[in-house]
Amino acid sequence: MKAFLISDNVDSLVGLKTAGIRGSVVHKREEVLEVLEDLLKDKEISTIIVTEKIAELIPGELSKIKLSKLLPLVVEIPDRHGSKKEEDHLLNYVKEAIGLKL
């Protein structure tokens, strides 16, 4: 099983390439959808890593993948500028998902 990065910047791609993860740098919604469509056809891809900026371009499509399939796993990561989400977004996510306040 392999992972693949869809990023909007070369820095993220180079960083993950050092870990052996292939990727693609795209900037437009249509380009992202093309790459995503190809990845969903590839049975060897188990994890799709997307930067937060890319995730903002295709939120509906990513939600459908996350909710409808076991694989591939979709993971959002911050880019070189850091996360755009609030400081305690992970705690809020857990609270919403399971109703547990940490």
Side-chain angles (χ1 to χ4, degrees), residues 60-72:
E61 289 81 356
L62 290 181
S63 291
K64 285 179 188 175
I65 295 168
K66 289 177 182 179
L67 294 173
S68 68
K69 297 184 174 209
L70 186 60
L71 287 177

PDB file of all heavy atoms in Angstrom, residues 60-72:
ATOM      1  N   GLY A  60     -16.390  18.970  -0.488  1.00  0.00           N
ATOM      2  CA  GLY A  60     -17.462  18.006  -0.693  1.00  0.00           C
ATOM      3  C   GLY A  60     -16.952  16.662  -1.182  1.00  0.00           C
ATOM      4  O   GLY A  60     -17.374  15.607  -0.703  1.00  0.00           O
ATOM      5  N   GLU A  61     -16.035  16.694  -2.118  1.00  0.00           N
ATOM      6  CA  GLU A  61     -15.480  15.460  -2.666  1.00  0.00           C
ATOM      7  C   GLU A  61     -14.710  14.687  -1.614  1.00  0.00           C
ATOM      8  O   GLU A  61     -14.815  13.459  -1.525  1.00  0.00           O
ATOM      9  CB  GLU A  61     -14.571  15.762  -3.868  1.00  0.00           C
ATOM     10  CG  GLU A  61     -15.313  16.215  -5.111  1.00  0.00           C
ATOM     11  CD  GLU A  61     -15.705  17.687  -5.100  1.00  0.00           C
ATOM     12  OE1 GLU A  61     -15.469  18.394  -4.091  1.00  0.00           O
ATOM     13  OE2 GLU A  61     -16.267  18.132  -6.113  1.00  0.00           O
ATOM     14  N   LEU A  62     -13.940  15.394  -0.785  1.00  0.00           N
ATOM     15  CA  LEU A  62     -13.181  14.720   0.267  1.00  0.00           C
ATOM     16  C   LEU A  62     -14.111  14.107   1.304  1.00  0.00           C
ATOM     17  O   LEU A  62     -13.875  12.998   1.782  1.00  0.00           O
ATOM     18  CB  LEU A  62     -12.199  15.690   0.936  1.00  0.00           C
ATOM     19  CG  LEU A  62     -11.019  16.138   0.082  1.00  0.00           C
ATOM     20  CD1 LEU A  62     -10.114  17.084   0.870  1.00  0.00           C
ATOM     21  CD2 LEU A  62     -10.224  14.962  -0.437  1.00  0.00           C
ATOM     22  N   SER A  63     -15.178  14.812   1.638  1.00  0.00           N
ATOM     23  CA  SER A  63     -16.155  14.266   2.595  1.00  0.00           C
ATOM     24  C   SER A  63     -16.787  12.988   2.066  1.00  0.00           C
ATOM     25  O   SER A  63     -16.962  12.027   2.805  1.00  0.00           O
ATOM     26  CB  SER A  63     -17.247  15.290   2.887  1.00  0.00           C
ATOM     27  OG  SER A  63     -16.723  16.355   3.627  1.00  0.00           O
ATOM     28  N   LYS A  64     -17.122  12.970   0.771  1.00  0.00           N
ATOM     29  CA  LYS A  64     -17.717  11.776   0.174  1.00  0.00           C
ATOM     30  C   LYS A  64     -16.762  10.592   0.273  1.00  0.00           C
ATOM     31  O   LYS A  64     -17.176   9.480   0.594  1.00  0.00           O
ATOM     32  CB  LYS A  64     -18.072  12.029  -1.286  1.00  0.00           C
ATOM     33  CG  LYS A  64     -19.294  12.874  -1.475  1.00  0.00           C
ATOM     34  CD  LYS A  64     -19.554  13.097  -2.948  1.00  0.00           C
ATOM     35  CE  LYS A  64     -20.657  14.112  -3.160  1.00  0.00           C
ATOM     36  NZ  LYS A  64     -20.861  14.433  -4.575  1.00  0.00           N
ATOM     37  N   ILE A  65     -15.494  10.823  -0.010  1.00  0.00           N
ATOM     38  CA  ILE A  65     -14.500   9.746   0.061  1.00  0.00           C
ATOM     39  C   ILE A  65     -14.366   9.251   1.493  1.00  0.00           C
ATOM     40  O   ILE A  65     -14.359   8.049   1.755  1.00  0.00           O
ATOM     41  CB  ILE A  65     -13.136  10.213  -0.479  1.00  0.00           C
ATOM     42  CG1 ILE A  65     -13.234  10.528  -1.961  1.00  0.00           C
ATOM     43  CG2 ILE A  65     -12.059   9.151  -0.232  1.00  0.00           C
ATOM     44  CD1 ILE A  65     -12.026  11.266  -2.515  1.00  0.00           C
ATOM     45  N   LYS A  66     -14.277  10.190   2.424  1.00  0.00           N
ATOM     46  CA  LYS A  66     -14.111   9.821   3.834  1.00  0.00           C
ATOM     47  C   LYS A  66     -15.294   9.014   4.350  1.00  0.00           C
ATOM     48  O   LYS A  66     -15.139   8.102   5.149  1.00  0.00           O
ATOM     49  CB  LYS A  66     -13.926  11.074   4.694  1.00  0.00           C
ATOM     50  CG  LYS A  66     -12.605  11.766   4.495  1.00  0.00           C
ATOM     51  CD  LYS A  66     -12.549  13.034   5.330  1.00  0.00           C
ATOM     52  CE  LYS A  66     -11.273  13.806   5.141  1.00  0.00           C
ATOM     53  NZ  LYS A  66     -11.238  15.041   5.947  1.00  0.00           N
ATOM     54  N   LEU A  67     -16.496   9.349   3.907  1.00  0.00           N
ATOM     55  CA  LEU A  67     -17.702   8.705   4.423  1.00  0.00           C
ATOM     56  C   LEU A  67     -18.109   7.441   3.675  1.00  0.00           C
ATOM     57  O   LEU A  67     -18.788   6.591   4.235  1.00  0.00           O
ATOM     58  CB  LEU A  67     -18.873   9.695   4.398  1.00  0.00           C
ATOM     59  CG  LEU A  67     -18.744  10.891   5.324  1.00  0.00           C
ATOM     60  CD1 LEU A  67     -19.877  11.879   5.070  1.00  0.00           C
ATOM     61  CD2 LEU A  67     -18.734  10.450   6.777  1.00  0.00           C
ATOM     62  N   SER A  68     -17.675   7.303   2.428  1.00  0.00           N
ATOM     63  CA  SER A  68     -18.181   6.197   1.633  1.00  0.00           C
ATOM     64  C   SER A  68     -17.218   5.030   1.453  1.00  0.00           C
ATOM     65  O   SER A  68     -17.634   3.964   1.035  1.00  0.00           O
ATOM     66  CB  SER A  68     -18.600   6.700   0.251  1.00  0.00           C
ATOM     67  OG  SER A  68     -17.463   7.110  -0.481  1.00  0.00           O
ATOM     68  N   LYS A  69     -15.956   5.216   1.772  1.00  0.00           N
ATOM     69  CA  LYS A  69     -14.982   4.162   1.504  1.00  0.00           C
ATOM     70  C   LYS A  69     -14.116   3.894   2.716  1.00  0.00           C
ATOM     71  O   LYS A  69     -13.837   4.773   3.510  1.00  0.00           O
ATOM     72  CB  LYS A  69     -14.075   4.573   0.345  1.00  0.00           C
ATOM     73  CG  LYS A  69     -14.790   4.752  -0.962  1.00  0.00           C
ATOM     74  CD  LYS A  69     -13.787   5.048  -2.042  1.00  0.00           C
ATOM     75  CE  LYS A  69     -14.491   5.076  -3.372  1.00  0.00           C
ATOM     76  NZ  LYS A  69     -13.645   4.688  -4.450  1.00  0.00           N
ATOM     77  N   LEU A  70     -13.670   2.672   2.804  1.00  0.00           N
ATOM     78  CA  LEU A  70     -12.709   2.314   3.834  1.00  0.00           C
ATOM     79  C   LEU A  70     -11.313   2.783   3.418  1.00  0.00           C
ATOM     80  O   LEU A  70     -10.566   3.310   4.220  1.00  0.00           O
ATOM     81  CB  LEU A  70     -12.722   0.794   4.048  1.00  0.00           C
ATOM     82  CG  LEU A  70     -11.874   0.268   5.179  1.00  0.00           C
ATOM     83  CD1 LEU A  70     -12.323   0.873   6.497  1.00  0.00           C
ATOM     84  CD2 LEU A  70     -11.972  -1.239   5.250  1.00  0.00           C
ATOM     85  N   LEU A  71     -10.997   2.572   2.163  1.00  0.00           N
ATOM     86  CA  LEU A  71      -9.726   3.037   1.599  1.00  0.00           C
ATOM     87  C   LEU A  71     -10.027   3.792   0.329  1.00  0.00           C
ATOM     88  O   LEU A  71     -10.954   3.449  -0.391  1.00  0.00           O
ATOM     89  CB  LEU A  71      -8.802   1.858   1.280  1.00  0.00           C
ATOM     90  CG  LEU A  71      -8.171   1.149   2.471  1.00  0.00           C
ATOM     91  CD1 LEU A  71      -7.350  -0.035   1.990  1.00  0.00           C
ATOM     92  CD2 LEU A  71      -7.311   2.076   3.298  1.00  0.00           C
ATOM     93  N   PRO A  72      -9.295   4.775   0.003  1.00  0.00           N
ATOM     94  CA  PRO A  72      -8.110   5.282   0.683  1.00  0.00           C
ATOM     95  C   PRO A  72      -8.470   6.190   1.861  1.00  0.00           C
ATOM     96  O   PRO A  72      -9.511   6.829   1.876  1.00  0.00           O
ATOM     97  CB  PRO A  72      -7.395   6.084  -0.398  1.00  0.00           C
ATOM     98  CG  PRO A  72      -8.489   6.565  -1.297  1.00  0.00           C
ATOM     99  CD  PRO A  72      -9.529   5.481  -1.272  1.00  0.00           C
TER     100      PRO A  72
END
